[in-house]
């Protein structure tokens, strides 16, 4: 099957150009001046399919490097399966996800990873890879970490939050970072001081402050700044790189920037919720509506300019990427587990479908360039997580994961309108997007076109990732 995408503006992280893109099978084989012939062949007359991208951007498919399909949390499971979550990703122009396989204390890493393969295999509409969550750092799991690269898993996440669940202490973290340094793995960190947060949360509940809003009060920014700094220091001692997930506080960005300025290999992502949503308006919404916005770290006060600092960090490369931390829970039967006690509200929001659109609004408002949008959402995730050359770029030899994005189009986000995630609400209800995902190719196959899903569960393949190549 040969496809020619004609008349569009091809946008890579390195620049934009008017070009036609020739796809053969699963790969991009040529990026050509518009209307080119190839060795005398009239291309348009010799392909099976032509996609007219006149007036549109032709960009590498998005890579969401932080999702939690079917994550067990707080006595329930994230409501998107790999089937529903990757289909929703495709709708939004995301053609690869990297999900987190879970190991808990006492469990073998190998078993946790195998369980995640069993959940995902044969079910995904787009390609998927795994990071490993290490919820129990011990001799066996440290040894198992050294074998992860052979499984195509080259990064693992630890938690300074959630004591008794995923939490690791400083000594455990240091030891795992030492293993990472020796074996070329990238440690990822959920940087919030869990033990101190639990004390504050308990005190708030004892005072009758049980609404979702107090989730944000307990998880004050100092808890994120302190943990971010501690993780950075531990990585420095271990001589390990470090990737901080879901940065929400401007003070944490400052810690990351300072480490990078000292020459440390510290990298970080933020998420759309920290670019757009706020503690008071959203987490503080009445009648338990705030539960829709309970995630960790929490939404920050809009009066403190955290959002501006996130955008600035994305622009200046203090923050390198945007991922979603997609971890959806329905209000009915899931979020409402925490009625009367915010500590019992499962943490997470559903965003995998909207990341490309939401970050693109930064281009519309002039906060970032078109190329930076592609870099933040696709090219850097590929390089950060060992997929460079295959994903995150439109170039000969790369997978034909391609989005035709219409800057003149419009997308009204809403549960009844454009929503495909398996949640009973949208935390993005009412967001109006300048721009529209028109057509999506995953390894050369059209999965979204003409407002319809043309993909299938099982098309998505497991991504065996190599070592990080960021920065090259
Ligand atoms: N944060 C969330 O909001 N959900 C899942 C796990 C996490 O760290
Ligand atoms: Zn986390
Ligand atoms: Zn997460």
């Amino acid at each position: 099957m040969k496809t020619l995408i004609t008349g569009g503006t091809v946008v890579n992280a390195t620049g934009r150009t008017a070009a036609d893109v020739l796809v053969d099978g699963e790969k991009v084989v040529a990026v050509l001046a518009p209307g080119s012939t190839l060795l005398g062949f009239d291309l348009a007359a010799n392909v099976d399919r032509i996609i007219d991208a006149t007036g549109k951007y032709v960009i590498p498919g998005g890579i969401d490097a932080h999702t939690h399909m079917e994550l067990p949390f707080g006595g329930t499971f994230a409501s998107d399966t790999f089937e529903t979550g990757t289909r929703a990703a495709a709708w939004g122009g995301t053609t690869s996800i990297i999900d987190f396989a879970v190991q808990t204390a006492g469990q073998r890493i190998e078993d946790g990873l195998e369980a995640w393969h069993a959940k995902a295999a044969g079910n995904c509409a787009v390609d998927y890879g795994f990071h490993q969550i290490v919820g129990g750092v011990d001799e066996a799991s440290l040894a198992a970490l050294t074998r992860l690269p052979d499984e195509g898993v080259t990064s693992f996440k630890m938690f300074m939050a959630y004591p008794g669940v995923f939490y690791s202490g400083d000594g455990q973290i240091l030891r795992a970072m030492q293993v990472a340094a020796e074996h070329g793995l990238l440690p990822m960190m959920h940087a919030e001081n869990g033990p101190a947060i639990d004390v504050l949360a308990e005190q708030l509940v004892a005072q009758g402050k049980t609404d979702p809003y107090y989730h944000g009060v307990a998880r004050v920014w100092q808890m994120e700044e302190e943990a971010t700094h501690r993780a950075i220091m531990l990585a420095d001692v271990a001589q390990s790189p470090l990737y901080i997930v879901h940065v929400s506080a401007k003070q944490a960005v400052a810690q990351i920037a300072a480490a990078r300025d000292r020459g440390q290999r510290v990298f970080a992502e933020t998420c759309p919720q920290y670019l757009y949503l706020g503690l008071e308006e959203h987490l503080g919404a009445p009648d338990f509506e705030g539960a829709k916005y309970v995630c960790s770290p929490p939404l920050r006060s809009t009066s403190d300019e955290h959002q501006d600092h996130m955008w600035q960090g994305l622009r200046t490369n203090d923050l390198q990427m945007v991922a979603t931390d997609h971890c959806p829970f329905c209000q009915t039967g899931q979020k409402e587990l925490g009625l009367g006690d915010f500590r019992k509200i499962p943490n997470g929001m559903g965003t995998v479908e909207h990341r490309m659109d939401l970050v693109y609004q930064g281009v519309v408002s002039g906060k970032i360039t078109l190329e930076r949008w592609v870099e933040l959402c696709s090219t850097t995730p590929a390089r950060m997580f060992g997929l460079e050359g295959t994903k995150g770029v439109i170039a000969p030899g790369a997978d034909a994961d391609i989005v035709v994005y219409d800057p003149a189009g419009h997308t009204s986000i809403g549960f009844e309108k454009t929503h495909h995630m398996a949640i009973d609400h949208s935390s993005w209800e009412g967001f109006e997007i300048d721009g529209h995902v028109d057509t999506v190719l995953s390894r050369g196959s059209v999965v979204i076109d003409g407002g319809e899903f043309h993909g299938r569960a099982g098309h998505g393949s497991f991504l065996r990732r190599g070592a990080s190549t960021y920065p090259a």
Side-chain angles (χ1 to χ4, degrees):
M1 181 71 151
K2 289 188 177 58
T3 303
L4 190 66
I5 305 171
T6 61
T9 300
V10 174
V11 186
N12 278 311
T14 47
R16 68 188 87 172
T17 179
D20 295 344
V21 179
L22 180 61
V23 173
D24 190 357
E26 298 193 341
K27 296 284 182 183
V28 173
V29 291
V31 180
L32 307 138
S36 294
T37 58
L38 195 60
L39 302 174
F41 279 102
D42 175 0
L43 278 177
N46 285 281
V47 295
D48 305 292
R49 177 174 54 202
I50 293 177
I51 297 171
D52 182 5
T54 304
K56 299 173 186 173
Y57 299 132
V58 180
I59 63 169
I63 301 173
D64 190 342
H66 190 155
T67 69
H68 297 286
M69 306 305 171
E70 305 177 42
L71 178 77
F73 194 103
T76 185
F77 289 83
S79 57
D80 261 319
T81 62
F82 278 88
E83 180 170 352
T84 62
T86 56
R87 193 168 56 214
W91 275 104
T94 285
T95 50
S96 301
I97 63 163
I98 310 181
D99 204 88
F100 287 82
V102 175
Q103 178 254 359
T104 48
Q107 188 190 22
R108 294 171 69 233
I109 293 255
E110 290 85 345
D111 294 341
L113 186 55
E114 195 183 314
W116 241 254
H117 275 296
K119 287 178 200 248
N123 292 323
C124 293
V126 298
D127 290 348
Y128 62 98
F130 296 140
H131 313 285
Q132 181 69 52
I133 281 177
V134 187
V137 177
D138 56 23
E139 297 306 327
S141 60
L142 288 169
L145 282 182
T146 69
R147 297 187 288 271
L148 279 181
D150 298 336
E151 304 295 326
V153 176
T154 50
S155 44
F156 64 93
K157 180 181 179 186
M158 292 181 288
F159 291 77
M160 302 167 103
Y162 306 129
V165 188
F166 296 128
Y167 175 80
S168 292
D170 294 346
Q172 291 173 305
I173 290 168
L174 180 65
R175 288 198 67 193
M177 285 176 168
Q178 288 169 335
V179 170
E182 198 178 328
H183 293 271
L185 290 147
L186 181 57
M188 308 166 78
M189 191 60 72
H190 180 130
E192 284 186 298
N193 186 326
I197 286 169
D198 280 4
V199 169
L200 293 182
E202 194 180 338
Q203 290 169 347
L204 287 163
V205 171
Q207 293 163 26
K209 296 176 175 169
T210 60
D211 287 346
Y213 174 77
Y214 294 102
H215 169 83
V217 176
R219 306 184 90 92
V220 279
W221 59 262
Q222 287 91 337
M223 301 297 175
E224 184 179 350
E225 180 184 12
E226 183 278 325
T228 302
H229 178 257
R230 184 155 36 99
I232 288 169
M233 290 295 113
L234 292 169
D236 196 22
V237 171
Q239 287 294 290
S240 164
L242 173 64
Y243 180 95
I244 311 273
V245 293
H246 48 48
V247 174
S248 72
K250 65 182 180 186
Q251 295 85 355
V253 178
Q255 292 294 339
I256 291 157
R260 291 173 58 76
D261 289 349
R262 291 193 300 270
Q264 243 183 286
R265 285 178 299 148
V266 174
F267 314 109
E269 72 186 22
T270 189
C271 310
Q273 51 270 36
Y274 308 123
L275 296 169
Y276 288 106
L277 305 179
L279 172 69
E280 293 82 5
E281 311 85 299
H282 296 99
L283 203 51
D287 302 328
F288 203 61
E289 286 292 290
K292 294 176 180 171
Y293 306 97
V294 167
C295 58
S296 293
L299 304 181
R300 299 295 176 193
S301 178
T302 33
S303 59
D304 288 344
E305 298 175 338
H306 294 281
Q307 292 175 9
D308 290 347
H309 282 258
M310 295 304 134
W311 281 111
Q312 182 178 305
L314 291 174
R315 193 166 48 74
T316 60
N317 211 40
D318 289 337
L319 301 172
Q320 292 75 42
M321 292 173 37
V322 181
T324 58
D325 197 9
H326 178 79
C327 192
F329 296 98
C330 293
Q331 281 286 81
T332 303
Q334 296 197 296
K335 291 283 189 180
E336 66 185 18
L337 292 168
L339 271 167
D341 186 344
F342 67 82
R343 295 173 299 179
K344 297 188 179 140
I345 301 171
N347 288 197
M349 291 175 43
T351 310
V352 73
E353 187 171 349
H354 304 310
R355 184 184 61 125
M356 301 299 285
D357 280 333
L358 288 167
V359 182
Y360 179 69
Q361 300 317 288
V363 179
V364 173
S365 60
K367 293 189 179 79
I368 54 171
T369 65
L370 202 50
E371 288 82 1
R372 185 65 176 159
W373 172 49
V374 169
E375 189 166 38
L376 293 169
C377 292
S378 183
T379 311
T380 297
R383 297 178 71 202
M384 189 71 71
F385 293 114
L387 297 167
E388 186 170 12
T390 310
K391 304 290 189 189
V393 65
I394 296 183
D399 282 357
D401 290 359
I402 298 173
V403 176
V404 178
Y405 196 83
D406 183 2
H410 189 85
T411 307
S412 297
I413 299 182
F415 184 66
E416 302 292 342
K417 294 174 185 158
T418 52
H419 182 101
H420 299 91
M421 299 175 283
I423 336 170
D424 62 0
H425 64 274
S426 172
S427 300
W428 301 98
E429 191 71 42
F431 272 69
E432 298 292 335
I433 300 295
D434 285 333
H436 189 262
V437 173
D438 275 10
T439 305
V440 180
L441 277 72
S442 165
R443 278 183 288 103
S445 296
V446 171
V447 289
I448 300 291
D449 191 44
E452 285 184 18
F453 178 67
H454 299 275
R456 64 176 174 84
H459 165 78
S461 294
F462 176 63
L463 295 167
R464 297 184 67 84
R465 300 183 294 110
S468 176
T469 55
Y470 188 91

